[in-house]
C-alpha cells in the first residue's frame, strides 16, 4: 500500500521549487533512490506525501484557518 501511494511516479504538468532542510533532503534522496521504480522523482514523492497529509488533516487545517480568520475579522468589528 505504501509503495502504491508514495513510491509511484505521478506526472505533473506544472512544478514549482520548494526549499527544505538539507538533512531532510538527504533522507529523501535515500528513500527515493532505493525505490523499485527507477522513474520515481523526489518531487513526485514529496507531492504524494503532501497530498496525503492534506487529505488526512484537511478538516483540522480548515478549523485552524477558520478560527484565525474569525480572530482577524473580529478586530474590525464595531
Amino acid at each position: 500500500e505504501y509503495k502504491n501511494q508514495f513510491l509511484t511516479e505521478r506526472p505533473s504538468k506544472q512544478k514549482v521549487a520548494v526549499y527544505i532542510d538539507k538533512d531532510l533532503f538527504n533522507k529523501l534522496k535515500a528513500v527515493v533512490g532505493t525505490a523499485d521504480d527507477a522513474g520515481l522523482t523526489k518531487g513526485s514523492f514529496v507531492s504524494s506525501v503532501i497530498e496525503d497529509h492534506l487529505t488526512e488533516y484537511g478538516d483540522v487545517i480548515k478549523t485552524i484557518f477558520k478560527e484565525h480568520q474569525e480572530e482577524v475579522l473580529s478586530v474590525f468589528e464595531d
Side-chain angles (χ1 to χ4, degrees):
E1 184 178 333
Y2 183 88
K3 183 178 176 181
N4 288 334
Q5 186 166 356
F6 297 109
L7 301 179
T8 302
E9 182 62 24
R10 296 172 186 244
S12 175
K13 294 178 184 176
Q14 298 179 337
K15 296 183 180 192
V16 296
V18 175
Y19 294 97
I20 62 172
D21 182 80
K22 180 70 173 175
D23 290 335
L24 188 57
F25 180 77
N26 289 335
K27 290 176 183 177
L28 172 64
K29 283 193 326 185
V31 170
V32 173
T34 59
D36 291 339
D37 182 4
L40 180 67
T41 63
K42 290 176 280 303
S44 184
F45 178 77
V46 169
S47 292
S48 296
V49 170
I50 292 172
E51 181 179 21
D52 181 70
H53 176 82
L54 294 176
T55 299
E56 177 77 21
Y57 296 101
D59 291 338
V60 174
I61 293 167
K62 285 186 237 178
T63 299
I64 291 169
F65 279 97
K66 283 180 183 177
E67 290 171 358
H68 179 71
Q69 181 182 28
E70 290 171 5
E71 290 173 15
V72 171
L73 294 175
S74 70
V75 173
F76 296 98
E77 292 178 355
D78 292 318

